[in-house]
Amino acid sequence: MSQLIVKGVSKTFGEGESLVHALSSIDLLIEKGEFLAIMGASGSGKTTLLNCISTIDKPTSGDIFFENFDIIHAKENQLADYRANNISYIFQSYNLVETLTVFENIVLPLQIQGKSVRKYQTKINDILEKLSIQNLKRKFPNQLSGGQRQRVATARALIDDSKLLIADEPTGALDSANSESLMTLLQEVNKVFGITILLVTHDPVAAKYSSRMVLLSDGKITDDIERKGLSNEAYLQEIYNRTR
Ligand SMILES: Nc1ncnc2c1ncn2[C@@H]1O[C@H](COP(=O)(O)OP(=O)(O)OP(=O)(O)O)[C@@H](O)[C@H]1O
Ligand SMILES: [Mg+2]
């Protein structure tokens, strides 16, 4: 059973002359632990697809199941639980709170969800260690480099045992060195923590860190390739060939 099942999902915006088919009958099965890159031209439906999965948007028709949970027919309070328990985001700007320390930023999702920080102490230390940021705990965001901010934002996304990490163009505002370090970090986090990642990107160089690439064109999936045993270079070439 796939972790995430997207079945015949369509989404339209507007009506009459301004009707837009943002998604047209999308079928997609995503397995636990996959690192999926979603690519496609501007306006092809990438963000709309993520928004339907994260319940920010509701499809016009079709079904979406996450670990058997029917998110299309769920009640609002069940959806709030679904989002809180399963989904984390990495934002382009990282959204760190400048007046809180690194440690306070990382435990913020736990506090928002009313969970005990003490109970998570072992997990917190484990994440800090795996991301090599133990020594930054008491610093404030404005004392960090770009790469360190990425690591802190990633730690915060991992802290509450979410199963799905969603990132919409996280490298859009980064130079190539920081972009590469974020992607390496996501690849590492995907391997070490087994978290499923859905990454939207325009950049084949960022997409090469994924394990699978799905291409959207005008709201339809027009290509779906897996890395399998390919090296980064061979996989990148394949992505270039498909997205050109
Ligand atoms: N809230 C909305 N109201 C009306 N039309 C919308 C809305 N959101 C998206 N659209 C339209 O749906 C289509 C898909 O948009 P979407 O944002 O999913 O594209 P995208 O692939 O994420 O593009 P980009 O790479 O530019 O972010 C576009 O034609 C867009 O104009
Ligand atoms: Mg978008």
Side-chain angles (χ1 to χ4, degrees), residues 42-43 45-48 168-169 200 202:
S42 180
K46 304 179 298 293
T47 297
T48 306
D168 195 344
E169 287 283 356
V200 163
H202 282 109

Side-chain angles (χ1 to χ4, degrees), residues 55 58 69 71 73-83:
T55 76
K58 205 176 164 103
F69 173 65
I71 75 170
H73 299 100
K75 298 201 176 75
E76 188 42 53
N77 62 331
Q78 295 175 308
L79 288 180
D81 285 346
Y82 160 74
R83 287 189 294 266

Side-chain angles (χ1 to χ4, degrees), residues 73-135:
H73 299 100
K75 298 201 176 75
E76 188 42 53
N77 62 331
Q78 295 175 308
L79 288 180
D81 285 346
Y82 160 74
R83 287 189 294 266
N85 294 328
N86 297 302
I87 303 180
S88 280
Y89 296 88
I90 301 240
F91 295 99
Q92 203 169 76
S93 56
Y94 306 129
N95 285 14
L96 296 179
V97 182
E98 300 293 329
T99 53
L100 298 180
T101 64
V102 162
F103 183 83
E104 289 163 344
N105 265 284
I106 291 172
V107 300
L108 198 56
L110 298 177
Q111 295 181 319
I112 290 171
Q113 293 167 33
K115 292 178 178 162
S116 150
V117 172
R118 278 227 332 266
K119 273 196 194 149
Y120 276 78
Q121 203 55 59
T122 313
K123 170 134 201 212
I124 295 168
N125 287 334
D126 184 40
I127 289 173
L128 289 173
E129 194 185 314
K130 288 204 170 101
L131 298 180
S132 311
I133 50 174
Q134 312 93 313
N135 55 337

Side-chain angles (χ1 to χ4, degrees), residues 174-188:
L174 301 177
D175 62 31
S176 62
N178 274 310
S179 172
E180 197 175 323
S181 86
L182 176 61
M183 293 312 301
T184 312
L185 182 60
L186 290 181
Q187 193 177 49
E188 202 177 299

